[in-house]
């Protein structure tokens, strides 16, 4: 009968994967980790071996992670590459939620006004000439976009800009800027802008093509796009 262990090691293409069973106490795992590492037969001439530690549904404090690193320091051929857990800190979770939430506004952005949000922006209303909307994620305008729209303002090059009526004075995605043509062309209805694969310019398409261009958009965003 096989003996159940709290710490198991498996070889991978990139080194070793060490799994620490989250049903064991932390002290039990530390003790067993010492035993498991001491049993590894590593020669002096062997290269450094990178180790990924899998914690499962366990969260370790910075102090606990340091204690584990100290155990590994006794075995100088084993180097911790990363420590992974299914759990994250509440602060990190709230930051992630802030970055991925869709912020909905029902208003007009007038000349001189700036509407700036973290995450995706869904604006029900117009952006007048001289007005500006900015989002770290996507920008959706259910109205006329005649001012400036900046999506992915934190560097997200996968962000998109879409509007019911697209006649902007400037579009910007991440650090790429697109200005309107010098002609007196009228705007377009139900259009979207996104960076092409080379990330050299912003391309315009009908909103209905967006699900093919950015299939990673979630269901709610697709419903917004397809009206």
């Amino acid at each position: 009968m096989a003996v159940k262990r709290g710490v198991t090691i498996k070889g991978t293409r990139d080194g070793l994967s060490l799994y620490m069973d989250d049903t064991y106490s932390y002290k039990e795992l530390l003790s067993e980790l010492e035993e498991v590492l001491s049993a590894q037969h590593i020669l002096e001439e062997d290269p450094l071996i990178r180790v990924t530690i899998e914690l499962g549904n366990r969260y370790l404090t910075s102090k606990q992670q340091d204690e584990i690193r100290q155990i590994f320091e006794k075995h100088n051929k084993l180097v911790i590459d990363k420590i992974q857990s299914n759990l994250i800190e509440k602060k990190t979770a709230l930051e992630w939620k802030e970055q991925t939430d869709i912020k909905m506004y029902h208003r007009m952005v007038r000349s001189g006004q700036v509407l700036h949000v973290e995450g995706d922006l869904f604006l029900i209303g117009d952006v007048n000439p001289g007005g500006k909307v900015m989002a770290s994620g996507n920008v959706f305008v259910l109205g006329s976009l005649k001012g400036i729209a900046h999506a992915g303002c934190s560097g997200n090059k996968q962000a998109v800009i879409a509007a019911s009526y697209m006649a902007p004075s400037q579009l910007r995605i991440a650090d790429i800027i697109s200005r309107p043509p010098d002609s007196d062309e009228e705007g377009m209805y139900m259009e979207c802008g996104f960076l092409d694969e080379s990330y050299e310019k912003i391309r315009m398409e009908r909103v209905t093509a967006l699900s093919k261009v950015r299939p990673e958009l979630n269901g709610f965003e697709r419903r917004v796009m397809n009206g």
Side-chain angles (χ1 to χ4, degrees):
M1 181 177 177
V3 178
K4 189 174 184 292
R5 301 188 64 89
V7 177
T8 54
I9 293 181
K10 293 183 179 180
T12 68
R13 184 176 59 185
D14 300 319
L16 295 176
S17 181
L18 186 147
Y19 176 70
M20 303 181 77
D21 194 325
D22 54 33
T23 63
Y24 283 66
S25 72
Y26 173 68
K27 288 186 176 180
E28 287 176 320
L29 291 175
L30 278 190
S31 176
E32 191 170 326
L33 179 61
E34 292 266 18
E35 295 178 12
V36 169
L37 294 184
S38 297
Q40 299 299 308
H41 301 292
I42 302 174
L43 301 177
E44 188 64 31
E45 61 270 19
D46 287 342
L48 293 177
I49 301 173
R50 297 194 174 278
V51 181
T52 297
I53 299 178
E54 302 281 354
L55 300 175
N57 295 323
R58 180 190 299 274
Y59 175 77
L60 294 184
T61 64
S62 297
K63 180 181 178 181
Q64 290 172 328
Q65 291 189 32
D66 287 341
E67 289 173 344
I68 291 176
R69 293 182 190 279
Q70 288 170 10
I71 293 175
F72 271 83
E73 287 174 0
K74 301 175 185 177
H75 307 270
N76 56 13
K77 291 295 180 179
L78 298 176
V79 179
I80 296 178
D81 188 29
K82 50 191 170 183
I83 299 177
Q84 299 181 156
S85 171
N86 296 336
L87 306 180
I88 59 175
E89 289 182 303
K90 181 179 180 181
K91 178 183 177 183
T92 304
L94 290 174
E95 288 175 351
W96 177 83
K97 184 176 184 297
E98 180 74 10
Q99 287 290 332
T100 56
D101 265 359
I102 295 180
K103 310 300 192 309
M104 300 185 69
Y105 289 83
H106 189 179
R107 55 171 286 192
M108 179 183 294
V109 180
R110 295 181 170 84
S111 178
Q113 295 180 332
V114 178
L115 177 59
H116 186 184
V117 305
E118 291 295 321
D120 292 347
L121 170 62
F122 180 34
L123 174 67
I124 303 174
D126 298 336
V127 181
N128 286 352
K132 185 176 184 179
V133 290
M134 301 174 64
S136 61
N138 306 303
V139 172
F140 307 124
V141 179
L142 193 58
S144 297
L145 174 53
K146 297 181 180 180
I148 299 172
H150 186 179
C153 60
S154 298
N156 179 10
K157 292 187 174 183
Q158 295 300 305
V160 301
I161 300 171
S164 299
Y165 181 72
M166 183 78 78
S169 58
Q170 184 189 98
L171 292 184
R172 183 168 181 172
I173 297 177
D175 58 351
I176 305 298
I177 298 175
S178 174
R179 294 180 175 83
D182 294 332
S183 65
D184 295 329
E185 281 186 25
E186 294 184 359
M188 298 295 294
Y189 289 94
M190 302 304 292
E191 278 220 323
C192 63
F194 56 91
L195 291 184
D196 65 12
E197 293 182 0
S198 65
Y199 297 144
E200 293 178 352
K201 62 179 181 179
I202 295 175
R203 206 171 102 203
M204 306 301 297
E205 290 282 355
R206 298 288 293 172
V207 164
T208 51
L210 189 55
S211 60
K212 295 179 181 178
V213 176
R214 291 288 185 267
E216 69 276 7
L217 291 179
N218 64 36
F220 176 81
E221 289 165 327
R222 286 203 187 101
R223 288 198 297 275
V224 171
M225 289 298 89
N226 294 323

